[in-house]
Amino acid sequence: MRVRQSRRLLSTEDYLFSFIDRARALAEQGGLAPIALGVGDCDLPTPEHIVAGAREAVGDALHHRYPPYAGTRELREAAAAFLARRFGVRTDAETQVVATLGSKEAMAHLALGFVDPGDVVLVPDPAYPVYATWARWCGADVVRVPLRESNGFLPDLDAIDHDVARRAKLFWVCYPNNPTAALATTEFFDRLAQFALEHDILVASDLAYSEIYYDCEPPPSFLASPGAMECGIEFHSLSKTYNMPGWRVGFAAGSSTAVTVLRAIKTQTDSGTFGAIQHAAARALTDHTGYPDRLRATYRDRMRVLCDGLEAAGLDALRPKATFYCLVRAPYGLTSEGFAKKLIEDARVLGIPATGFGPGGEGYLRLTVCADSAQIAEAVRRIQAVRWR
């Protein structure tokens, strides 16, 4: 018997993660241990008061049963309160909020509820690969919307073809942005909401990095724009803000229609996050210890070390105002992948060619500060020892 993979999977490019695996294998051939500044995997522990909340809840037999498909009332109400406090966005916890397993699975499953073969899904370029992958798996035509540095890495809504907009079902956005670290303005979100309403498009906003920002106003929510609650759904994850990537918990909020559809898909695909983890997530969202402020200070200090060091090496770093990512322009004569290969071969530092997020990433490399300051300082020392020009 020969078991065959689906054409869907065989046709999927896994460039980003295959590059990481190849780079790590290459690095292991040398004697100097590589420093990984590629994947956005939070290196700090989850705050103890959140861990304690989970520890207490594990002993409650109520959590040993299946949780509600939409998430516990406690978590949904905590999420609604967070949206109101942080963004001024009012939501009904019963009809406009759903708990998720982090945000990745919910973003992936959104297409199942809205996209039919032949529909168009608008995906920024470069962007988190999940947006395009699941759109294709649902038979959609993925239309890449360029994010250019000259436009602040914002999509040019006026440049989107009218016929494309007419066929579009979903429009993905992510601000603060991965991989560019760009921020969106409230003015852009207002225009995006009007564009979506005019063309009957659901805007899917990935707001995983809302609380990681430096020396600027807190990033806005798309849902705060006029009309956005009619045409938008927003995804929040506790992975980044509270160092909970392994806990797999988050929430989506927005249009009651979109949330209802996502809930229906989830009833067929999962049984929810363990109730004790949802309790811990609710504790995080109602936290008054100021932890996100301390986390931002840590990332700000690390980013300063990284960017100062890159510039001292003669490299052109785009100093970010948000996220824990930094784009670096490829030196003259190198492609994004060539830059990444030289970095791992000559400096034993792992970064990600931004082409792993789409062809629009050509010319850039993405680095993270998900490593302690000593490792970042050592990475910078190694990079400065390389002749780049």
Side-chain angles (χ1 to χ4, degrees):
M1 177 181 176
R2 186 173 62 166
V3 179
R4 299 179 180 87
Q5 295 182 28
S6 68
R7 288 190 296 273
R8 179 185 304 111
L9 189 59
L10 287 170
S11 65
T12 300
E13 295 181 6
D14 195 14
Y15 173 83
L16 181 58
F17 297 105
S18 63
F19 177 87
I20 294 171
D21 290 341
R22 293 197 309 272
R24 282 176 173 160
L26 177 64
E28 289 170 0
Q29 297 173 10
L32 190 64
I35 297 174
L37 299 183
V39 181
D41 187 2
C42 307
D43 64 302
L44 296 167
T46 305
E48 177 54 34
H49 66 280
I50 298 174
V51 175
R55 192 180 294 121
E56 296 164 6
V58 165
D60 186 344
L62 177 66
H63 297 310
H64 301 175
R65 306 178 67 182
Y66 287 120
Y69 280 114
T72 64
R73 175 182 289 273
E74 178 189 29
L75 176 53
R76 286 183 284 112
E77 289 182 347
F82 169 78
L83 291 172
R85 182 177 70 252
R86 169 65 174 81
F87 303 105
V89 171
R90 303 291 174 179
T91 53
D92 180 350
E94 285 299 312
T95 62
Q96 295 178 309
V97 180
V98 57
T100 61
L101 283 74
S103 58
K104 185 176 183 179
E105 65 82 13
M107 292 189 295
H109 288 143
L110 184 70
L112 290 174
F114 285 96
V115 178
D116 290 316
D119 288 338
V120 163
V121 174
L122 299 171
V123 174
D125 179 21
Y128 188 41
V130 169
Y131 312 152
T133 296
W134 273 81
R136 289 196 191 94
W137 283 0
C138 291
D141 296 329
V142 172
V143 174
R144 294 187 178 275
V145 181
L147 303 184
R148 295 190 174 93
E149 187 178 345
S150 59
N151 196 41
F153 293 113
L154 294 172
D156 183 353
L157 301 180
D158 294 331
I160 297 174
D161 183 83
H162 176 75
D163 289 337
V164 168
R166 180 180 53 81
R167 292 174 52 209
K169 282 283 191 72
L170 290 179
F171 193 160
W172 281 99
V173 293
C174 173
Y175 293 100
N177 186 262
N178 174 24
T180 70
L183 289 166
T185 62
T186 55
E187 291 77 13
F188 169 74
F189 277 156
D190 290 350
R191 286 197 62 222
L192 178 61
Q194 290 308 304
F195 178 87
L197 290 168
E198 288 171 11
H199 295 94
D200 292 324
I201 300 171
L202 178 66
V203 173
S205 172
D206 179 357
L207 196 49
Y209 302 92
S210 68
E211 304 311 294
I212 303 175
Y213 57 91
Y214 320 113
D215 306 318
C216 63
E217 292 296 315
S221 164
F222 171 70
L223 297 180
S225 290
M229 287 297 293
E230 300 174 46
C231 63
I233 184 169
E234 200 159 70
F235 297 88
H236 293 256
S237 172
L238 279 79
S239 296
K240 318 300 182 185
T241 305
Y242 295 99
N243 292 309
M244 299 175 69
W247 298 63
R248 308 317 304 139
V249 62
F251 65 92
S255 157
S256 57
T257 299
V259 168
T260 298
V261 168
L262 185 56
R263 285 182 177 184
I265 294 296
K266 286 177 63 60
T267 61
Q268 302 296 324
T269 54
D270 69 73
S271 296
T273 299
F274 179 34
I277 290 177
Q278 293 194 51
H279 174 73
R283 174 171 288 193
L285 290 171
T286 54
D287 174 42
H288 298 291
T289 66
Y291 178 76
D293 293 332
R294 297 195 297 275
L295 182 64
R296 278 193 292 273
T298 296
Y299 284 140
R300 182 187 297 110
D301 291 345
R302 291 178 177 185
M303 192 64 75
R304 187 177 298 115
V305 172
L306 177 65
C307 291
D308 286 352
L310 291 170
E311 290 174 359
L315 296 173
D316 195 359
L318 278 60
R319 288 182 179 259
K321 290 186 176 181
T323 79
F324 42 52
Y325 303 119
C326 175
L327 277 192
V328 188
R329 292 192 186 95
Y332 179 77
L334 289 177
T335 63
S336 292
E337 185 167 346
F339 186 15
K341 286 182 176 178
K342 185 173 178 63
L343 192 71
I344 193 67
E345 291 173 356
D346 295 358
R348 287 294 188 265
V349 174
L350 175 60
I352 302 297
T355 44
F357 302 90
E362 182 55 71
Y364 301 94
L365 178 88
R366 193 196 75 175
L367 296 175
T368 82
V369 289
C370 292
D372 64 43
S373 296
Q375 285 184 299
I376 294 172
E378 172 59 17
V380 163
R381 187 193 66 77
R382 294 181 187 184
I383 290 169
Q384 290 174 349
V386 176
R387 183 170 181 173
W388 292 104
R389 300 185 187 275

